[in-house]
Amino acid sequence: MTMLQNLFRPRARERLGLPLYELAVRQARDPRFYTGLGVADRIDARFELYTLHVLLLVMRLRDEGPRGAEAGQDLFDTYVSALDHALRELGVGDISVGKKMRKLGEALYGRMTAYEEPLRDGDAAALSAGLARNVFEQDDAAVGERLAAYAIASRARMAAQPFEAVLTGPDWAEVAA
């Protein structure tokens, strides 16, 4: 292939969504969230933890510029696809998947919107209230304090990591048991 042909050949896009999604899911499945922090081991609570971890990674990736924004979008798209796949595995019929995905999409967008600003600002009180409501299904913000502290600490630790290191092993905070 001549150099000119190589120049105009489309570059293969780096696909980072699946490995990043797997890192987020692995962390969200840490038993200490359920045994130490009291998160209920139910599908809706797992959805909340997956969403929180995906958001933490997406935020860190977007902080890195165009390559990070592309990786963050790829991670988000992979997450949405995994939700669709999970619904189908749970036996949701094709006709119902669209409606259920719309509801999940609204919930996902709502959570990300509710958590992003407090995470950026390090606002533990606002994040605690949102996590208490969504993860623990309680109105007492104190219930979400330890999870909020974990999320804020994870954001800070990943911000201190070089981008390439985040791609292979995000520096999550310790889950307080």
Side-chain angles (χ1 to χ4, degrees), residues 32-68:
R32 291 174 292 184
F33 286 112
Y34 307 96
T35 58
L37 296 184
V39 175
D41 191 9
R42 296 186 320 256
I43 194 164
D44 56 333
R46 286 191 301 270
F47 164 78
E48 297 293 345
L49 285 180
Y50 291 3
T51 299
L52 177 64
H53 286 86
V54 166
L55 174 61
L56 285 164
L57 277 176
V58 166
M59 288 175 68
R60 171 58 182 96
L61 296 169
R62 286 190 321 214
D63 291 342
E64 201 63 35
R67 180 172 178 231

Side-chain angles (χ1 to χ4, degrees), residues 21 29 64 66 70-71 85-86 119-121 139-140 150 155-156 158 170:
Y21 174 70
R29 288 182 176 164
E64 201 63 35
E70 186 176 287
H85 182 73
L119 280 167
R120 272 201 198 290
D121 297 342
D139 293 326
D140 181 7
Y150 160 83
R155 173 137 170 85
M158 282 189 276

Side-chain angles (χ1 to χ4, degrees), residues 7-131:
L7 180 66
F8 290 107
R9 199 172 92 224
R11 285 187 323 142
R13 209 176 125 224
E14 187 177 22
R15 293 285 178 185
L16 298 170
L18 185 58
L20 287 167
Y21 174 70
E22 289 170 351
L23 290 168
V25 167
R26 185 179 318 133
Q27 182 64 17
R29 288 182 176 164
D30 185 320
R32 291 174 292 184
F33 286 112
Y34 307 96
T35 58
L37 296 184
V39 175
D41 191 9
R42 296 186 320 256
I43 194 164
D44 56 333
R46 286 191 301 270
F47 164 78
E48 297 293 345
L49 285 180
Y50 291 3
T51 299
L52 177 64
H53 286 86
V54 166
L55 174 61
L56 285 164
L57 277 176
V58 166
M59 288 175 68
R60 171 58 182 96
L61 296 169
R62 286 190 321 214
D63 291 342
E64 201 63 35
R67 180 172 178 231
E70 186 176 287
Q73 186 62 53
D74 202 20
L75 168 56
F76 181 81
D77 294 346
T78 300
Y79 183 38
V80 171
S81 178
L83 290 173
D84 179 89
H85 182 73
L87 284 176
R88 292 175 190 281
E89 280 192 349
L90 289 170
V92 176
D94 287 340
I95 295 172
S96 300
V97 166
K99 290 178 188 175
K100 294 216 182 274
M101 278 304 296
R102 186 173 57 249
K103 281 186 177 182
L104 274 175
E106 289 169 359
L108 179 60
Y109 179 75
R111 298 318 186 264
M112 290 185 158
T113 301
Y115 301 157
E116 186 169 1
E117 189 174 326
L119 280 167
R120 272 201 198 290
D121 297 342
D123 184 349
L127 186 58
S128 295
L131 292 170

Side-chain angles (χ1 to χ4, degrees), residues 162-176:
F163 180 69
E164 294 300 324
V166 173
L167 296 178
T168 57
D171 188 15
W172 306 107
E174 286 297 314
V175 181

Side-chain angles (χ1 to χ4, degrees), residues 144-159:
E145 286 176 355
R146 290 190 299 158
L147 184 55
Y150 160 83
I152 290 169
S154 290
R155 173 137 170 85
R157 289 171 70 148
M158 282 189 276

